[in-house]
Amino acid sequence: MAQAQVFDARTGRRSEMELKGPRFETEPKEHVIHRAVVAELEARRRWTASTRGRSEVAGSGAKLYRQKGTGRARAGDIKSPIRYGGGTWGGPKPKGPRYGKKINRKEARAAFDGALSAKAAEGMLYVLDALDFERPSTKRAKELLGQMGVEGPVLLVLTAEEREAALSFRNLPEVTVVEPRGYGVYELLRAREVIFSRAAYGRLTANREEG
């Protein structure tokens, strides 16, 4: 059975906790996880790249010179894509919100649970207990990670109420701080260790039970 390493931020004590439930007992399926990552990255794209076609650039629409008798190649108007300053053919245009790869809810859940189960099976899932920062302190945050023995990159999941801790860890280059619903399969795969505060871990298991 998979286990999470529990670290008490106040005393420095270590312990282990058994992980039960579909969040940590789902077999990772590579093709489903791949689909989920592609869909997540596609959804984050802004699709704002834009080029101007020949109908959008400034210039006359008149034929440059007569068709025959000049000894030159045939030519249309000056806005042709083959001419300097002309419109672009086949360039990018802003896409609507429904453009991109899609994945259904069942597959997305299976991919997330599979990635999380893989981290748990590798022993790379941590629960940080008694995490209490009275004020932001990057120095203390760095010392805490050193005591835990994590190497990074680290995905640290904190609740909105743990703002002082979030401000302390976010300055560390090897740490990505997110809230319980602010990460997906892509972030899980990028991180070497995944650390949950006790409150964030409670939200994780509660959300899975709610469906």
Side-chain angles (χ1 to χ4, degrees), residues 32-52:
V32 177
I33 291 176
H34 177 265
R35 280 173 49 81
V37 170
V38 171
E40 286 180 7
L41 295 181
E42 288 278 302
R44 297 176 191 184
R45 292 181 63 177
R46 298 182 62 186
W47 301 105
T48 55
S50 180
T51 53
R52 290 186 295 177

Side-chain angles (χ1 to χ4, degrees), residues 190-202:
R190 288 188 66 228
R192 184 176 186 272
E193 296 98 353
V194 180
I195 303 175
F196 293 91
S197 68
R198 176 64 73 173
Y201 175 77

Side-chain angles (χ1 to χ4, degrees), residues 40-102:
E40 286 180 7
L41 295 181
E42 288 278 302
R44 297 176 191 184
R45 292 181 63 177
R46 298 182 62 186
W47 301 105
T48 55
S50 180
T51 53
R52 290 186 295 177
R54 65 187 303 162
S55 64
E56 299 170 304
V57 297
S60 172
K63 189 174 175 64
L64 290 175
Y65 45 82
R66 67 179 186 269
Q67 183 83 345
K68 297 179 179 293
T70 66
R72 302 173 66 182
R74 293 171 293 181
D77 60 56
I78 200 171
K79 298 186 292 183
S80 170
I82 66 174
R83 294 190 174 277
Y84 179 80
T88 299
W89 180 87
K93 283 291 184 182
K95 306 295 193 301
R98 296 191 176 185
Y99 188 85
K101 305 294 182 181
K102 299 295 181 183

